[in-house]
């Protein structure tokens, strides 16, 4: 009986600590994406917008869920211009706050191509960022990440096939708590 009470008290205290640590934040951000490697031969620049939600699970850790829209302006390839690359990446991840205003993050998920060259690619993305106080309750979120889409093929006739499409993403967003 005494052990049962101790276990129940321990569980109740753990739940209370977990609820105090849990915090929900939302970030909205425009992005500039700079293709690297083979992707740079397809596109010189990309633009996008993202919506990310993070759920605090401990004092310095959060689970993230994000969705975005990316548009990459394509170049002429083999004398023909392929369609611009439009994708909707959806990712889950883990964010670690090394300090209250600096974080590192890893995410993985799927990138859904839209348009005539529809398809799905596995996506993974490590990155880091810093938060800048704005004077109100929100913060500016400046982030830098490397993103890779595996098993990608582009073009209506699939004339262009790559094993991955990689880029460096820069964002300047606004982060606020709910």
């Amino acid at each position: 009986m005494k052990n049962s009470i101790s276990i129940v008290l321990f569980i109740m205290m753990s739940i209370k600590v977990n609820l105090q640590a849990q915090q929900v934040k939302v970030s909205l951000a425009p992005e500039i994406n700079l293709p690297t490697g083979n992707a740079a031969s397809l596109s010189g620049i990309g633009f996008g917008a993202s919506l990310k939600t993070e759920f605090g699970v401990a004092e310095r850790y959060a689970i993230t869920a994000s969705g975005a829209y990316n548009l990459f302006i394509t170049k002429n390839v083999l004398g023909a211009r392929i369609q611009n690359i439009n994708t909707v990446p959806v990712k889950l991840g883990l964010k670690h706050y090394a300090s209250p205003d600096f974080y590192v993050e890893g995410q993985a998920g799927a990138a859904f191509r839209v348009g005539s060259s529809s398809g799905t690619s596995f996506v993974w993305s490590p990155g880091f960022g810093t938060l800048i106080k704005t004077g109100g309750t929100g913060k500016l979120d400046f982030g830098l990440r490397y993103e890779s889409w595996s098993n990608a093929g582009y073009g209506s006739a699939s004339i262009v096939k790559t094993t991955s499409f990689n880029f460096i993403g820069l964002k300047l967003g606004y982060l606020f708590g709910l």
Side-chain angles (χ1 to χ4, degrees):
M1 178 73 170
K2 189 175 187 180
N3 286 340
S4 298
I5 293 173
S6 297
I7 291 172
V8 169
L9 287 175
F10 177 75
I11 291 172
M12 288 176 59
M13 289 178 61
S14 297
I15 291 172
K16 181 179 179 184
V17 168
N18 192 23
L19 289 176
Q20 288 175 344
Q22 190 169 22
Q23 189 176 20
V24 178
K25 297 177 185 173
V26 176
S27 172
L28 298 167
E31 300 178 352
I32 295 177
N33 301 316
L34 306 170
T36 62
N38 291 337
S41 65
L42 294 176
S43 173
I45 193 164
F47 302 96
S50 67
L51 172 66
K52 182 185 295 183
T53 304
E54 63 181 72
F55 304 93
V57 293
E59 183 178 347
R60 293 182 177 246
Y61 291 92
I63 293 176
T64 62
S66 66
Y69 174 77
N70 291 318
L71 167 68
F72 287 91
I73 311 297
T74 56
K75 300 177 180 179
N76 288 335
V77 177
L78 302 174
R81 182 172 173 91
I82 61 172
Q83 290 184 344
N84 291 335
I85 300 167
N86 297 285
T87 61
V88 177
V90 178
K91 302 177 282 188
L92 292 175
L94 180 65
K95 184 183 263 189
H96 169 67
Y97 285 94
S99 73
D101 295 327
F102 179 79
Y103 63 86
V104 292
E105 177 177 27
Q107 292 185 306
F112 302 98
R113 292 186 310 275
V114 294
S116 63
S117 64
S118 63
T120 305
S121 299
F122 172 75
V123 60
W124 60 275
S125 175
F128 62 91
T130 187
L131 302 175
I132 302 165
K133 296 177 182 160
T134 61
T137 58
K139 295 181 179 182
L140 291 178
D141 182 1
F142 178 73
L144 177 71
R145 77 180 185 289
Y146 173 81
E147 189 161 313
S148 179
W149 304 337
S150 301
N151 301 323
Y154 301 97
S156 57
S158 296
I159 60 169
V160 179
K161 292 190 180 205
T162 61
T163 55
S164 64
F165 187 91
N166 309 314
F167 61 91
I168 304 246
L170 302 166
K171 74 172 183 176
L172 179 60
Y174 188 71
L175 179 74
F176 56 93
L178 295 180

